[in-house]
Amino acid sequence: IQRYPDIIKYIPLFDRFLAFEDDNTSKNISICTNFYLEKIISDQKPTIENKAFLLATFQKNRIKETLALKQILDKIKFNNQFILYCNEKEYRNTLKDNGISIIKKPISYSDSLKMTLQSTVLIDIHNPIHNGLSFRIFEALGYEKKLITTNKEIAKYDFYDPRNILIWENQCADEIDAFCNSAYHQIDSRIKEKYALENWIKHYSSL
């Protein structure tokens, strides 16, 4: 809500308003999570590569972690694909010099999903303006991908498992190497299904 404050004027028009982190803006805001689309993958038959994938919008307050993680993945020779939507001309050369692809138009969700499903590790660089968990995190859960994230809040959730989720705190290359090259650990199906869109709708419509 702090990132998109124009929404505040619309909150009174609804009986209940959902947001993915605590907010004291209005008494009728309920806390919820994001979700993943469980049925969208039924028609997909991706060729999975041992690869880390990041798709994000460029923000100055996230570039330090992005570059550091990219450099470590390159150092350990773990295949990776970093794509940033960036209109900041002063940063483009630095990003390109570090092997990051720059796009000037957003990628469709279906194309993003294809690249997500083809990867074994997803990268989530947290935007410090909020503490909620991004859609990328729930895609990792739903599509059984390992996850490297800078959002420490994830450790509070029932699906957190350090075998599948690495909270990035400038770990050494050996730790990143071991994490990326280890197998995904299956979690309880009831926890996974809890965050699927169909169940998400049932849960929040019944509150």
Side-chain angles (χ1 to χ4, degrees):
I1 291 175
Q2 293 176 23
R3 188 177 181 187
Y4 301 107
D6 286 350
I7 198 66
I8 293 173
K9 62 187 176 184
Y10 296 102
I11 293 176
L13 302 178
F14 297 87
D15 296 323
R16 191 157 49 94
F17 192 89
L18 303 178
F20 73 169
E21 67 175 346
D22 288 317
D23 192 285
N24 297 319
T25 306
S26 173
K27 64 180 180 180
N28 62 334
I29 293 180
S30 300
I31 301 171
C32 69
T33 67
N34 281 322
F35 51 83
Y36 68 91
L37 306 179
E38 70 275 32
K39 294 181 179 178
I40 200 168
I41 63 172
S42 59
D43 296 330
Q44 303 277 351
K45 294 181 180 179
T47 299
I48 299 176
E49 305 175 39
N50 209 30
K51 179 181 71 175
F53 175 57
L54 168 73
L55 175 63
T57 299
F58 172 83
Q59 289 177 317
K60 294 178 183 179
N61 57 7
R62 296 197 287 186
I63 195 60
K64 181 179 178 180
E65 292 89 348
T66 301
L67 290 176
L69 188 51
K70 178 71 167 67
Q71 288 163 1
I72 282 191
L73 291 170
D74 289 341
K75 180 179 179 180
I76 65 175
K77 294 182 168 58
F78 191 82
N79 190 20
N80 61 83
Q81 183 179 21
F82 280 42
I83 302 174
L84 289 184
Y85 172 73
C86 178
N87 289 319
E88 301 277 351
K89 293 182 179 180
E90 62 182 295
Y91 288 94
R92 286 180 187 168
N93 287 338
T94 299
L95 296 174
K96 290 178 180 178
D97 289 344
N98 282 273
I100 296 175
S101 299
I102 305 300
I103 56 174
K104 298 179 182 179
K105 294 181 180 179
I107 290 178
S108 70
Y109 184 68
S110 60
D111 287 340
S112 168
L113 184 62
K114 288 177 183 177
M115 290 183 278
T116 294
L117 296 176
Q118 290 169 351
S119 307
T120 52
V121 180
L122 302 184
I123 308 295
D124 171 66
I125 306 297
H126 174 232
N127 186 339
I129 198 172
H130 63 73
N131 291 318
L133 303 190
S134 70
F135 276 106
R136 180 69 67 201
I137 288 173
F138 294 95
E139 290 167 0
L141 171 66
Y143 310 141
E144 299 182 351
K145 308 296 181 181
K146 303 199 79 175
L147 175 75
I148 299 176
T149 179
T150 59
N151 192 339
K152 297 179 181 180
E153 290 293 307
I154 199 170
K156 300 176 182 179
Y157 287 76
D158 54 2
F159 56 81
Y160 174 71
D161 185 327
R163 292 172 293 185
N164 294 334
I165 300 170
L166 185 146
I167 299 175
W168 169 246
E169 295 178 300
N170 295 305
Q171 288 89 340
C172 69
D174 288 344
E175 288 183 69
I176 302 300
D177 193 2
F179 176 80
C180 290
N181 286 293
S182 61
Y184 181 88
H185 181 77
Q186 295 291 327
I187 67 168
D188 189 320
S189 60
R190 292 171 295 180
I191 294 177
K192 177 181 173 182
E193 291 167 5
K194 174 181 174 181
Y195 299 97
L197 176 60
E198 185 174 346
N199 185 69
W200 186 95
I201 292 172
K202 290 179 181 178
H203 175 73
Y204 288 106
S205 63
S206 65
L207 293 179

